[in-house]
Amino acid sequence: MAVERVERRMREVTAALDRAGLRYAVVGGNAVAAWVGRVDPGATRATKDVDLLLERASADRAIAAIEALGFTHERLRDLLLFVDPEEPSRKSGVRVVWAGERVRPSYALPTPGVDEAVRDPEGFLVLDLPALVRMKLTSFRDIDRVHVADMLSVGLIDGRVRATLPEVLRERLAQIEAAAQDD
């Protein structure tokens, strides 16, 4: 049930952004699931929230489009959080990070641009695979390393993807690959 609620929330919000003519990309666990599910639907992981990439200049229009669905918004540090009235928990909200900006000052790279989004066969815009891998390797939290390992396990991270990675991210990818061999 929880997985279905998250998917419904993602589809409602992305449809609203599409209707508003806004450029966005699904990122985070839902983006990983979209890519992994193309290869092996059984290898996808559930996630409790929805993560989106938006251009900062479109914030007001995005707020209007998503609040029209009944969501409320909060500004948290430098992020936007939308809370679903049907499940009013921050943990299950819709989080927005800004395209082309560092999520945290310590990150080596900024987020990708929304121009790196592609239309998923299910209809929403999802971050292109190389950009998603770069984003996950930049964040490099435990969940990000797990997501990268999932993408590796189904063969998604190939030479084309590796060629897009700067050296610091290739080193992080090598750490994940080494850890997977130790298991």
Side-chain angles (χ1 to χ4, degrees), residues 29 35 37 42 56-57 89 105 115 123 136 139 142 147 163 168 172 176:
W35 283 103
R56 188 181 289 275
S89 166
D115 59 324
K136 287 290 179 181
S139 296
D142 289 344
H147 284 154
V168 65
R172 290 178 176 184
I176 295 168

Side-chain angles (χ1 to χ4, degrees), residues 111-173:
T111 60
V114 292
D115 59 324
E116 292 186 78
V118 295
R119 187 71 59 184
D120 185 82
E122 297 294 321
F124 55 87
L125 289 169
V126 64
L127 199 57
D128 190 31
L129 183 61
L132 179 62
V133 172
R134 288 193 318 270
M135 195 170 181
K136 287 290 179 181
L137 288 170
T138 297
S139 296
F140 213 55
R141 300 165 300 166
D142 289 344
I143 190 61
D144 298 306
R145 290 189 295 272
V146 168
H147 284 154
V148 171
D150 289 348
M151 291 185 280
L152 280 165
S153 74
V154 297
L156 284 170
I157 302 177
D158 58 14
R160 178 183 72 90
V161 173
R162 290 171 191 274
T164 70
L165 300 176
E167 182 61 31
V168 65
L169 299 186
R170 282 196 303 270
E171 290 170 7
R172 290 178 176 184
L173 180 60

